[in-house]
Amino acid sequence: MKLPTVIILMFNILSAFSQIPHEITYITGCFVNGTTEIQFEFDAEEILYVDFSKQELIYTVPAFLDPDPSQILIGLSVLKDARDNKELCSDLTVMAAAEERNPPEEKDAPDSNLYPAEDVQLGVENKLICFVNHFYPPSIQVSWTKNGGPVSEGVSLSRYFPNNDGTFHQFSTLTFTPSEGDVYSCTVEHSALETPQTSIWEPDVRDHSLGPDIFCGVGLTLGLLGAGVFFYCVSHHGQ
């Protein structure tokens, strides 16, 4: 899938700590719904993105790495350029949409999995993870229930992450203490879904070795000169 309008600027730098060349990729992505994403990649791994709601740079790798990710782009007016490029990219998106007579935006419906973060023990605090994947455009709503009633306390929602096919994935978590007979649900709403998508989970007291059918997360690889963030999935057997 292709974004409606994407401007990509790539340039190489030579690390001050080594004679090995590294590639920094600057990506500005605009969507027809008005959303703009700007991020930097170091050797094809994301190191920061721009949070326009907070007007700040968000580093996605630890600052204690050597070299410090914040020092890689030192001397560059990253935030100011991001604001300028956001306006430019948005204008180009409007122009492109007008030239194509504003065709309908492509959409991909999400799929979701609901599973506990740890082996379940009754009365022991745990986290339920609602993993939503393969959706486009990058806008979803996630809601939780316990025994049919809405739950908001202990709920968190990650930012969305891009997949290689142009779709996105996102995590919502619920901190809870399982009790026998409780039933939890995670409901996902997205513009590509005709009706909300609901996943249901309840503790199985007959088997305390419960685990997720699939666990997905973000890992960090450390190298001599920097870091890499990677997405991984591990299969489990249990329920």
Side-chain angles (χ1 to χ4, degrees):
M1 176 184 296
K2 296 182 179 179
L3 301 179
T5 300
V6 180
I7 301 174
I8 301 178
L9 174 63
M10 302 179 63
F11 55 94
N12 293 327
I13 66 168
L14 196 64
S15 172
F17 302 91
S18 169
Q19 293 303 306
I20 301 176
H22 295 278
E23 184 176 77
I24 291 182
T25 306
Y26 178 85
I27 301 175
T28 301
C30 301
F31 305 89
V32 295
N33 64 3
T35 304
T36 301
E37 286 289 306
I38 293 180
Q39 68 182 47
F40 274 83
E41 294 181 354
F42 183 78
D43 288 346
E45 302 292 349
E46 183 187 67
I47 59 173
L48 70 87
Y49 68 94
V50 179
D51 188 328
F52 287 106
S53 63
K54 298 180 179 179
Q55 292 295 305
E56 63 182 39
L57 306 178
I58 306 297
Y59 287 88
T60 54
V61 292
F64 59 77
L65 296 177
D66 186 17
D68 185 336
S70 64
Q71 299 302 309
I72 295 176
L73 305 174
I74 193 169
L76 300 178
S77 54
V78 177
L79 191 56
K80 178 182 181 301
D81 291 343
R83 296 191 191 100
D84 294 340
N85 290 333
K86 177 183 179 182
E87 293 184 10
L88 174 61
C89 196
S90 298
D91 291 342
L92 291 175
T93 302
V94 173
M95 293 173 58
E99 290 176 356
E100 297 176 6
R101 296 181 180 179
N102 199 22
E105 184 180 20
E106 295 183 61
K107 296 181 180 181
D108 286 311
D111 53 63
S112 59
N113 290 291
L114 181 58
Y115 52 86
E118 305 289 345
D119 288 347
V120 174
Q121 298 181 46
L122 298 182
V124 177
E125 185 175 271
N126 204 329
K127 290 182 183 293
L128 275 178
I129 300 174
C130 189
F131 174 55
V132 189
N133 200 9
H134 300 126
F135 59 89
Y136 184 91
S139 177
I140 62 170
Q141 291 185 345
V142 180
S143 57
W144 292 83
T145 68
K146 174 184 177 181
N147 299 328
V151 176
S152 58
E153 185 176 353
V155 173
S156 65
L157 182 66
S158 73
R159 80 180 192 92
Y160 49 81
F161 299 90
N163 296 320
N164 291 334
D165 61 0
T167 62
F168 294 85
H169 64 271
Q170 195 165 7
F171 297 88
S172 180
T173 62
L174 170 65
T175 300
F176 76 116
T177 301
S179 299
E180 184 175 356
D182 283 346
V183 178
Y184 293 86
S185 75
C186 165
T187 298
V188 177
E189 298 179 66
H190 185 266
S191 58
L193 293 171
E194 293 184 1
T195 59
Q197 183 181 92
T198 299
S199 301
I200 298 175
W201 181 91
E202 58 183 308
D204 185 351
V205 297
R206 297 168 300 175
D207 183 1
H208 295 290
S209 62
L210 293 178
D213 292 327
I214 181 169
F215 174 79
C216 300
V218 177
L220 182 68
T221 58
L222 302 178
L224 294 177
L225 298 176
V229 178
F230 63 92
F231 183 75
Y232 63 93
C233 294
V234 179
S235 294
H236 286 266
H237 299 287
Q239 60 184 27

